[in-house]
Amino acid sequence: MKHEDRKGRKHCTYGRSVNKVSILHVGIPTFKLVVQNRFLIYSDTIQADISRTFRNRGYRTKLCNRVQSVRVIFQTKMPIAKDRISYYYDAEVGTSYYAPNHPMKPHRLAMAHSLILAYDLHKYMEIYRPRKSYMYELSQFHAEDYINFLSTITPDKQHEHAGMMQKFNLGEDCPIFDGLFEFCRTYSGGSIDGAVRLNQGLSDISINWSGGLHHAKKSEASGFCYVNDLVLAIIELLKHHARVLYIDIDIHHGDGVEEAFYLTDRVMTVSFHKYGDMFFPGTGAISDIGENSGKYYSCNVPLHDGIDDDSFCDIFKTVMKKVMDLYQPGAIVLQCGADSLAADRLGCFNLSLEGHAECVNFMKSFKIPILVTGGGGYTKSNVSRCWTRETAALLEKELCEDIPEHDFYYQYYSDGEYKLKVTPTFAIENLNTKQYLQSVKNLVLQNLSSLDHAPGVQMQIVPSDTVIPEFDENSVKTAERWSTSEFVYRDDEFY
Ligand code: V1D
Ligand code: CA
């Protein structure tokens, strides 16, 4: 929506939806419901539901005994509390540089952050500069010798360590660059802290567009990923939740996360990806469903080139609705790799921003604590468009299609006429026929129907949120050891 300010300049504003409950009650009330010290009266048929709705929205509610009262006609309008969203970004990750001609450009993170600020979205979130995760936190998943190597190797020394470079799969896809280990500590710190905030009930949604590096393995870098922040965040969520659901809409298979939890029913992984033609990483067949206790708790949706919004959203919603019904997770981690968009430099799907964001909206609609991360994405201007659009979706804000002027405006957004849109191309044929998609759906739903309904778990002694193991007391300052991500005040510092 456009409006003029007092000086007559035109500005864009974002549809601000004022959330209101409007309840008209006619009848003889039997229960008294107190919401934030104001009381509302309802009949006994709807009171439990209404009370839960308010509680889920963050209101303090108290349900009192039956009220002996007269007939009332009662109408109330109450604002509903918005989702509390925490957002993690450190400018240092946005200046990291893999290698000349390498498709992974962390600069896309600086562009996305800048666009999010240009649209004023920071005003509605808590902005954090993530703390750097510690070695012992990384070792919750990764092998110590691998993490030690990552922490000491430098570009000039790498040639002296050819054996280790090969052992840990470092090289062309995963080069050693200046500041590599700090980069890993920062993007993983954001995802871990995002999970901690969800666990503590301080946020409903955590966003870390710098995270989502789903290919990293226990002792191996892979596909531009060194440390698997998603696995680390899920391990954190498992301290509070019996079941965690991982969803991956990057065009590549989420192999690192799947592998980490392949044998357990406490994490269900669902990846949508291009499969076949030797497409990286080559895993993610529909028949890969998990093993031992994890049998049926890994789910793969293999797709062909050119999938469009309608087909993708249809299969995504069908599968995820069934997963949510059966698995009933306590928390969700959603990897939103933007290489599934049309015109991606490495990808071959044909999604628009709307199709991609519809998946995010769909998962948000279940109102379960959710960590949302980035991932792949190789057409920089579209990556920043995508994650800005999805930040707005999570905030329930509408964005003006004209990109606001900001630092990167002229250099990067002329490609789409300075619009916040990604146009699917007719030049790409959708090789996913109706029959193919139906057969994938049938097989996936058949596998899902074999899983136990919401498996229980004996929650034993739950580790504390920030486990500090034994280590050299003198090597780390006390304040540093216990610190969490730094809150960035909204009006004074936006990098
Ligand atoms: F084109 C390149 C130029 C320089 C360095 C690497 C590449 C490149 C393009 N595609 N590398 C790839 C993929 N690697 C291979 C290798 C050939 N080897 C035998 C394997 O095909 C890797 C693609 C990684 C995709 C990463 C990701 O988008 O899924 C991601 N998600 O989160 C972070 C990254
Ligand atoms: Ca995927």
Side-chain angles (χ1 to χ4, degrees):
M1 194 166 78
K2 287 217 162 95
H3 69 90
E4 288 184 9
D5 68 10
R6 272 178 296 173
K7 291 183 182 163
R9 292 175 301 200
K10 291 214 181 320
H11 289 273
C12 290
T13 56
Y14 323 101
R16 188 180 292 190
S17 55
V18 181
N19 241 326
K20 285 188 173 161
V21 209
S22 177
I23 301 157
L24 178 66
H25 172 77
V26 184
I28 299 175
T30 50
F31 278 85
K32 184 167 102 175
L33 174 66
V34 180
V35 181
Q36 306 269 94
N37 299 327
R38 292 175 59 178
F39 79 85
L40 312 171
I41 301 172
Y42 297 103
S43 74
D44 42 6
T45 48
I46 57 167
Q47 52 80 21
D49 257 43
I50 299 280
S51 171
R52 202 174 314 116
T53 304
F54 279 108
R55 245 182 299 119
N56 290 345
R57 299 273 174 165
Y59 288 106
R60 277 175 288 114
T61 68
K62 196 164 87 185
L63 209 53
C64 305
N65 290 332
R66 274 170 186 275
V67 179
Q68 302 302 320
S69 177
V70 289
R71 183 182 179 86
V72 290
I73 296 175
F74 186 71
Q75 182 166 18
T76 179
K77 280 191 175 173
M78 291 225 6
I80 292 182
K82 284 277 190 187
D83 288 318
R84 294 155 305 165
I85 304 193
S86 56
Y87 168 97
Y88 296 82
Y89 179 69
D90 188 323
E92 220 174 63
V93 291
T95 59
S96 301
Y97 184 75
Y98 275 54
N101 299 320
H102 196 289
M104 177 56 102
K105 313 268 184 215
H107 185 245
R108 68 206 177 119
L109 303 169
M111 289 171 62
H113 182 69
S114 191
L115 192 55
I116 286 165
L117 298 186
Y119 270 114
D120 266 355
L121 295 177
H122 56 284
K123 292 187 176 159
Y124 310 100
M125 311 186 273
E126 289 182 6
I127 311 286
Y128 291 92
R129 177 181 299 125
R131 71 182 170 84
K132 291 178 169 36
S133 51
Y134 298 109
M135 306 276 273
Y136 72 85
E137 291 180 283
L138 305 180
S139 304
Q140 300 296 306
F141 172 56
H142 293 287
E144 269 181 40
D145 61 341
Y146 173 55
I147 294 300
N148 283 337
F149 188 75
L150 280 184
S151 71
T152 50
I153 191 69
T154 56
D156 46 325
K157 278 198 298 188
Q158 61 182 307
H159 309 288
E160 298 159 26
H161 299 276
M164 296 296 250
M165 291 286 293
Q166 200 176 14
K167 175 178 175 191
F168 298 131
N169 196 31
L170 295 160
E172 199 190 354
D173 271 0
C174 304
I176 303 298
F177 57 86
D178 279 330
L180 165 64
F181 192 56
E182 299 305 286
F183 172 74
C184 295
R185 291 180 66 198
T186 307
Y187 75 71
S188 55
S191 296
I192 297 169
D193 271 9
V196 168
R197 265 191 93 72
L198 298 179
N199 277 346
Q200 293 175 344
L202 296 171
S203 301
D204 307 300
I205 298 173
S206 296
I207 303 175
N208 179 23
W209 296 126
S210 306
L213 280 77
H214 57 172
H215 298 303
K217 312 282 166 25
K218 179 178 174 180
S219 296
E220 215 178 274
S222 172
F224 318 159
C225 306
Y226 304 84
V227 160
N228 201 316
D229 58 299
L230 298 154
V231 171
L232 297 170
I234 292 170
I235 290 172
E236 192 65 42
L237 291 168
L238 287 171
K239 295 176 185 171
H240 285 245
H241 299 281
R243 291 175 302 283
V244 175
L245 172 63
Y246 172 72
I247 309 157
D248 188 311
I249 59 169
D250 190 290
I251 194 172
H252 299 94
H253 176 228
D255 57 347
V257 187
E258 179 183 277
E259 186 179 298
F261 301 111
Y262 206 62
L263 305 179
T264 179
D265 56 7
R266 289 201 56 201
V267 178
M268 172 139 200
T269 61
V270 186
S271 177
F272 298 79
H273 47 267
K274 147 97 183 173
Y275 183 73
D277 312 325
M278 311 281 279
F279 195 72
F280 186 86
T283 48
I286 198 163
S287 51
D288 295 341
I289 55 172
E291 283 172 22
N292 299 349
S293 307
K295 190 166 179 189
Y296 302 117
Y297 294 93
S298 291
C299 175
N300 285 299
V301 184
L303 301 165
H304 298 318
D305 290 16
I307 193 156
D308 57 19
D309 286 350
D310 287 348
S311 321
F312 192 87
C313 292
D314 175 61
I315 197 160
F316 181 88
K317 289 180 182 175
T318 308
V319 170
M320 293 323 306
K321 168 88 177 62
K322 182 89 172 170
V323 167
M324 291 302 288
D325 280 352
L326 294 173
Y327 192 60
Q328 297 175 19
I332 298 173
V333 175
L334 175 58
Q335 199 267 22
C336 295
D339 46 9
S340 38
L341 290 175
D344 186 79
R345 234 184 106 188
L346 295 189
C348 51
F349 284 178
N350 206 10
L351 300 185
S352 74
L353 294 185
E354 284 62 47
H356 206 272
E358 205 171 318
C359 302
V360 178
N361 271 327
F362 188 68
M363 293 323 300
K364 174 180 151 65
S365 72
F366 292 96
K367 301 196 186 308
I368 283 167
I370 184 166
L371 168 65
V372 181
T373 74
Y378 305 97
T379 301
K380 287 201 297 181
S381 54
N382 287 348
V383 176
S384 54
R385 284 179 171 105
C386 178
W387 293 341
T388 300
R389 171 77 180 71
E390 284 165 9
T391 304
L394 292 164
L395 289 165
E396 295 176 28
K397 302 282 172 201
E398 270 174 36
L399 297 182
C400 172
E401 211 185 43
D402 294 324
I403 289 178
E405 280 191 36
H406 64 295
D407 284 356
F408 300 114
Y409 183 82
Y410 291 105
Q411 197 178 351
Y412 292 103
Y413 296 101
S414 60
D415 57 356
E417 292 161 332
Y418 306 99
K419 300 280 185 208
L420 192 76
K421 79 174 185 211
V422 170
T423 313
T425 164
F426 291 112
I428 289 189
E429 190 189 347
N430 184 355
L431 298 181
N432 301 272
T433 59
K434 287 222 156 56
Q435 297 90 304
Y436 175 73
L437 289 168
Q438 193 57 54
S439 71
V440 171
K441 252 194 259 178
N442 291 344
L443 265 170
V444 168
L445 294 181
Q446 190 184 317
N447 287 337
L448 290 176
S449 62
S450 304
L451 56 79
D452 268 351
H453 283 61
V457 60
Q458 193 90 47
M459 294 293 273
Q460 288 150 359
I461 298 164
V462 180
S464 60
D465 287 340
T466 42
V467 184
I468 308 293
E470 288 170 39
F471 58 87
D472 180 4
E473 290 282 321
N474 300 320
S475 65
V476 189
K477 284 181 245 139
T478 315
E480 221 176 89
R481 267 192 291 154
W482 292 98
S483 70
T484 54
S485 296
E486 179 192 346
F487 184 77
V488 179
Y489 286 94
R490 288 172 191 182
D491 295 326
D492 63 359
E493 194 181 359
F494 300 116
Y495 314 104

mmCIF file of all heavy atoms in Angstrom, residues 20-29 40-43 45-46 50 54 71-78:
data_model
loop_
_atom_site.group_PDB
_atom_site.id
_atom_site.type_symbol
_atom_site.label_atom_id
_atom_site.label_comp_id
_atom_site.label_asym_id
_atom_site.label_seq_id
_atom_site.Cartn_x
_atom_site.Cartn_y
_atom_site.Cartn_z
ATOM 1 N N LYS A 20 -7.830 -9.503 16.154
ATOM 2 C CA LYS A 20 -8.851 -9.297 17.183
ATOM 3 C C LYS A 20 -9.714 -10.526 17.307
ATOM 4 O O LYS A 20 -9.989 -11.193 16.326
ATOM 5 C CB LYS A 20 -9.730 -8.109 16.811
ATOM 6 C CG LYS A 20 -9.028 -6.792 17.028
ATOM 7 C CD LYS A 20 -9.962 -5.647 16.843
ATOM 8 C CE LYS A 20 -9.257 -4.354 17.232
ATOM 9 N NZ LYS A 20 -9.905 -3.189 16.673
ATOM 10 N N VAL A 21 -10.137 -10.806 18.506
ATOM 11 C CA VAL A 21 -11.133 -11.858 18.640
ATOM 12 C C VAL A 21 -12.446 -11.138 18.794
ATOM 13 O O VAL A 21 -12.554 -10.194 19.542
ATOM 14 C CB VAL A 21 -10.999 -12.646 19.964
ATOM 15 C CG1 VAL A 21 -11.490 -14.048 19.779
ATOM 16 C CG2 VAL A 21 -9.647 -12.539 20.564
ATOM 17 N N SER A 22 -13.400 -11.582 18.119
ATOM 18 C CA SER A 22 -14.718 -11.004 18.290
ATOM 19 C C SER A 22 -15.667 -12.148 18.594
ATOM 20 O O SER A 22 -15.928 -12.984 17.748
ATOM 21 C CB SER A 22 -15.104 -10.289 17.001
ATOM 22 O OG SER A 22 -16.394 -9.787 17.131
ATOM 23 N N ILE A 23 -16.108 -12.203 19.813
ATOM 24 C CA ILE A 23 -16.942 -13.333 20.201
ATOM 25 C C ILE A 23 -18.292 -12.819 20.656
ATOM 26 O O ILE A 23 -18.379 -11.988 21.558
ATOM 27 C CB ILE A 23 -16.282 -14.122 21.355
ATOM 28 C CG1 ILE A 23 -14.914 -14.622 20.890
ATOM 29 C CG2 ILE A 23 -17.159 -15.270 21.810
ATOM 30 C CD1 ILE A 23 -13.986 -14.903 22.024
ATOM 31 N N LEU A 24 -19.289 -13.290 20.027
ATOM 32 C CA LEU A 24 -20.635 -12.923 20.465
ATOM 33 C C LEU A 24 -21.222 -14.121 21.184
ATOM 34 O O LEU A 24 -21.288 -15.213 20.632
ATOM 35 C CB LEU A 24 -21.479 -12.562 19.245
ATOM 36 C CG LEU A 24 -22.934 -12.197 19.542
ATOM 37 C CD1 LEU A 24 -22.997 -10.915 20.353
ATOM 38 C CD2 LEU A 24 -23.699 -12.055 18.245
ATOM 39 N N HIS A 25 -21.572 -13.909 22.426
ATOM 40 C CA HIS A 25 -22.104 -15.039 23.169
ATOM 41 C C HIS A 25 -23.528 -14.733 23.620
ATOM 42 O O HIS A 25 -23.801 -13.711 24.218
ATOM 43 C CB HIS A 25 -21.244 -15.319 24.400
ATOM 44 C CG HIS A 25 -21.881 -16.350 25.275
ATOM 45 N ND1 HIS A 25 -21.839 -17.686 24.952
ATOM 46 C CD2 HIS A 25 -22.620 -16.232 26.391
ATOM 47 C CE1 HIS A 25 -22.500 -18.355 25.868
ATOM 48 N NE2 HIS A 25 -22.987 -17.494 26.750
ATOM 49 N N VAL A 26 -24.409 -15.598 23.297
ATOM 50 C CA VAL A 26 -25.786 -15.462 23.762
ATOM 51 C C VAL A 26 -26.139 -16.759 24.466
ATOM 52 O O VAL A 26 -26.016 -17.827 23.899
ATOM 53 C CB VAL A 26 -26.753 -15.252 22.585
ATOM 54 C CG1 VAL A 26 -28.164 -15.020 23.105
ATOM 55 C CG2 VAL A 26 -26.300 -14.095 21.730
ATOM 56 N N GLY A 27 -26.519 -16.702 25.692
ATOM 57 C CA GLY A 27 -26.883 -17.931 26.379
ATOM 58 C C GLY A 27 -26.696 -17.780 27.872
ATOM 59 O O GLY A 27 -26.404 -16.700 28.364
ATOM 60 N N ILE A 28 -26.873 -18.883 28.555
ATOM 61 C CA ILE A 28 -26.690 -18.828 29.999
ATOM 62 C C ILE A 28 -25.280 -19.288 30.318
ATOM 63 O O ILE A 28 -24.915 -20.432 30.042
ATOM 64 C CB ILE A 28 -27.711 -19.713 30.717
ATOM 65 C CG1 ILE A 28 -29.094 -19.177 30.378
ATOM 66 C CG2 ILE A 28 -27.474 -19.723 32.221
ATOM 67 C CD1 ILE A 28 -30.226 -20.003 30.904
ATOM 68 N N PRO A 29 -24.459 -18.390 30.818
ATOM 69 C CA PRO A 29 -23.071 -18.739 31.054
ATOM 70 C C PRO A 29 -22.908 -19.648 32.257
ATOM 71 O O PRO A 29 -23.609 -19.489 33.240
ATOM 72 C CB PRO A 29 -22.402 -17.388 31.307
ATOM 73 C CG PRO A 29 -23.496 -16.542 31.841
ATOM 74 C CD PRO A 29 -24.772 -17.030 31.253
ATOM 75 N N LEU A 40 -14.193 -12.972 31.004
ATOM 76 C CA LEU A 40 -15.162 -13.210 29.942
ATOM 77 C C LEU A 40 -16.014 -14.378 30.383
ATOM 78 O O LEU A 40 -15.563 -15.228 31.142
ATOM 79 C CB LEU A 40 -14.435 -13.617 28.662
ATOM 80 C CG LEU A 40 -13.253 -12.748 28.259
ATOM 81 C CD1 LEU A 40 -12.506 -13.395 27.103
ATOM 82 C CD2 LEU A 40 -13.732 -11.372 27.845
ATOM 83 N N ILE A 41 -17.228 -14.425 29.939
ATOM 84 C CA ILE A 41 -18.089 -15.531 30.363
ATOM 85 C C ILE A 41 -18.533 -16.330 29.140
ATOM 86 O O ILE A 41 -18.936 -15.769 28.133
ATOM 87 C CB ILE A 41 -19.340 -14.990 31.098
ATOM 88 C CG1 ILE A 41 -18.888 -14.174 32.305
ATOM 89 C CG2 ILE A 41 -20.220 -16.144 31.557
ATOM 90 C CD1 ILE A 41 -20.020 -13.443 32.976
ATOM 91 N N TYR A 42 -18.421 -17.628 29.262
ATOM 92 C CA TYR A 42 -18.813 -18.480 28.153
ATOM 93 C C TYR A 42 -19.697 -19.612 28.619
ATOM 94 O O TYR A 42 -19.698 -19.967 29.782
ATOM 95 C CB TYR A 42 -17.568 -19.089 27.496
ATOM 96 C CG TYR A 42 -16.702 -18.045 26.925
ATOM 97 C CD1 TYR A 42 -15.557 -17.668 27.595
ATOM 98 C CD2 TYR A 42 -17.048 -17.407 25.752
ATOM 99 C CE1 TYR A 42 -14.764 -16.664 27.090
ATOM 100 C CE2 TYR A 42 -16.264 -16.407 25.249
ATOM 101 C CZ TYR A 42 -15.119 -16.039 25.919
ATOM 102 O OH TYR A 42 -14.337 -15.048 25.425
ATOM 103 N N SER A 43 -20.364 -20.215 27.693
ATOM 104 C CA SER A 43 -21.115 -21.421 28.026
ATOM 105 C C SER A 43 -20.136 -22.587 28.114
ATOM 106 O O SER A 43 -19.039 -22.540 27.563
ATOM 107 C CB SER A 43 -22.144 -21.716 26.934
ATOM 108 O OG SER A 43 -21.468 -22.214 25.817
ATOM 109 N N THR A 45 -19.962 -25.383 26.716
ATOM 110 C CA THR A 45 -19.611 -26.154 25.516
ATOM 111 C C THR A 45 -18.362 -25.611 24.836
ATOM 112 O O THR A 45 -17.622 -26.357 24.221
ATOM 113 C CB THR A 45 -20.766 -26.141 24.492
ATOM 114 O OG1 THR A 45 -21.188 -24.807 24.355
ATOM 115 C CG2 THR A 45 -21.885 -27.052 24.913
ATOM 116 N N ILE A 46 -18.116 -24.326 24.925
ATOM 117 C CA ILE A 46 -16.961 -23.792 24.179
ATOM 118 C C ILE A 46 -15.828 -23.318 25.081
ATOM 119 O O ILE A 46 -14.762 -22.996 24.609
ATOM 120 C CB ILE A 46 -17.365 -22.624 23.244
ATOM 121 C CG1 ILE A 46 -18.031 -21.509 24.040
ATOM 122 C CG2 ILE A 46 -18.210 -23.106 22.107
ATOM 123 C CD1 ILE A 46 -18.176 -20.214 23.240
ATOM 124 N N ILE A 50 -11.828 -22.096 23.997
ATOM 125 C CA ILE A 50 -11.534 -20.663 24.010
ATOM 126 C C ILE A 50 -10.376 -20.384 24.964
ATOM 127 O O ILE A 50 -9.451 -19.645 24.650
ATOM 128 C CB ILE A 50 -12.770 -19.858 24.452
ATOM 129 C CG1 ILE A 50 -13.915 -20.104 23.470
ATOM 130 C CG2 ILE A 50 -12.461 -18.378 24.580
ATOM 131 C CD1 ILE A 50 -13.858 -19.317 22.211
ATOM 132 N N PHE A 54 -6.642 -18.637 24.057
ATOM 133 C CA PHE A 54 -5.995 -17.490 24.695
ATOM 134 C C PHE A 54 -4.628 -17.869 25.247
ATOM 135 O O PHE A 54 -3.663 -17.129 25.110
ATOM 136 C CB PHE A 54 -6.884 -16.935 25.823
ATOM 137 C CG PHE A 54 -7.972 -16.040 25.300
ATOM 138 C CD1 PHE A 54 -9.294 -16.446 25.288
ATOM 139 C CD2 PHE A 54 -7.664 -14.784 24.808
ATOM 140 C CE1 PHE A 54 -10.295 -15.630 24.789
ATOM 141 C CE2 PHE A 54 -8.656 -13.956 24.310
ATOM 142 C CZ PHE A 54 -9.982 -14.383 24.293
ATOM 143 N N ARG A 71 -28.963 -14.619 32.256
ATOM 144 C CA ARG A 71 -28.707 -14.644 30.819
ATOM 145 C C ARG A 71 -27.999 -13.347 30.405
ATOM 146 O O ARG A 71 -28.384 -12.267 30.804
ATOM 147 C CB ARG A 71 -30.075 -14.752 30.139
ATOM 148 C CG ARG A 71 -30.049 -14.872 28.677
ATOM 149 C CD ARG A 71 -31.511 -14.909 28.226
ATOM 150 N NE ARG A 71 -31.568 -15.008 26.791
ATOM 151 C CZ ARG A 71 -31.514 -16.147 26.133
ATOM 152 N NH1 ARG A 71 -31.450 -17.294 26.782
ATOM 153 N NH2 ARG A 71 -31.558 -16.164 24.817
ATOM 154 N N VAL A 72 -26.897 -13.490 29.612
ATOM 155 C CA VAL A 72 -26.212 -12.274 29.162
ATOM 156 C C VAL A 72 -26.003 -12.294 27.655
ATOM 157 O O VAL A 72 -25.938 -13.355 27.040
ATOM 158 C CB VAL A 72 -24.811 -12.102 29.813
ATOM 159 C CG1 VAL A 72 -24.904 -11.784 31.272
ATOM 160 C CG2 VAL A 72 -23.933 -13.288 29.524
ATOM 161 N N ILE A 73 -25.901 -11.166 27.124
ATOM 162 C CA ILE A 73 -25.430 -11.035 25.735
ATOM 163 C C ILE A 73 -24.108 -10.301 25.862
ATOM 164 O O ILE A 73 -24.049 -9.205 26.392
ATOM 165 C CB ILE A 73 -26.418 -10.221 24.876
ATOM 166 C CG1 ILE A 73 -27.739 -10.979 24.795
ATOM 167 C CG2 ILE A 73 -25.831 -9.977 23.501
ATOM 168 C CD1 ILE A 73 -28.817 -10.227 24.070
ATOM 169 N N PHE A 74 -23.039 -10.932 25.434
ATOM 170 C CA PHE A 74 -21.725 -10.419 25.757
ATOM 171 C C PHE A 74 -20.857 -10.394 24.505
ATOM 172 O O PHE A 74 -20.733 -11.374 23.800
ATOM 173 C CB PHE A 74 -21.100 -11.353 26.799
ATOM 174 C CG PHE A 74 -19.793 -10.854 27.340
ATOM 175 C CD1 PHE A 74 -19.752 -9.768 28.190
ATOM 176 C CD2 PHE A 74 -18.618 -11.483 26.994
ATOM 177 C CE1 PHE A 74 -18.561 -9.324 28.694
ATOM 178 C CE2 PHE A 74 -17.412 -11.033 27.491
ATOM 179 C CZ PHE A 74 -17.379 -9.945 28.346
ATOM 180 N N GLN A 75 -20.303 -9.282 24.198
ATOM 181 C CA GLN A 75 -19.419 -9.214 23.042
ATOM 182 C C GLN A 75 -18.099 -8.575 23.458
ATOM 183 O O GLN A 75 -18.090 -7.603 24.190
ATOM 184 C CB GLN A 75 -20.065 -8.377 21.933
ATOM 185 C CG GLN A 75 -19.179 -8.336 20.698
ATOM 186 C CD GLN A 75 -19.912 -7.818 19.492
ATOM 187 O OE1 GLN A 75 -20.957 -7.184 19.618
ATOM 188 N NE2 GLN A 75 -19.365 -8.085 18.328
ATOM 189 N N THR A 76 -17.007 -9.145 23.003
ATOM 190 C CA THR A 76 -15.730 -8.549 23.383
ATOM 191 C C THR A 76 -14.776 -8.557 22.196
ATOM 192 O O THR A 76 -14.826 -9.437 21.351
ATOM 193 C CB THR A 76 -15.084 -9.318 24.547
ATOM 194 O OG1 THR A 76 -13.841 -8.694 24.831
ATOM 195 C CG2 THR A 76 -14.810 -10.773 24.226
ATOM 196 N N LYS A 77 -13.925 -7.558 22.135
ATOM 197 C CA LYS A 77 -12.860 -7.540 21.130
ATOM 198 C C LYS A 77 -11.556 -7.449 21.886
ATOM 199 O O LYS A 77 -11.330 -6.508 22.625
ATOM 200 C CB LYS A 77 -13.008 -6.335 20.209
ATOM 201 C CG LYS A 77 -14.028 -6.551 19.140
ATOM 202 C CD LYS A 77 -13.987 -5.481 18.097
ATOM 203 C CE LYS A 77 -14.966 -5.847 16.993
ATOM 204 N NZ LYS A 77 -15.115 -4.810 16.011
ATOM 205 N N MET A 78 -10.727 -8.462 21.745
ATOM 206 C CA MET A 78 -9.443 -8.442 22.446
ATOM 207 C C MET A 78 -8.329 -8.639 21.442
ATOM 208 O O MET A 78 -8.429 -9.481 20.578
ATOM 209 C CB MET A 78 -9.383 -9.604 23.450
ATOM 210 C CG MET A 78 -10.315 -9.417 24.584
ATOM 211 S SD MET A 78 -9.602 -9.769 26.164
ATOM 212 C CE MET A 78 -7.931 -10.072 25.927
#
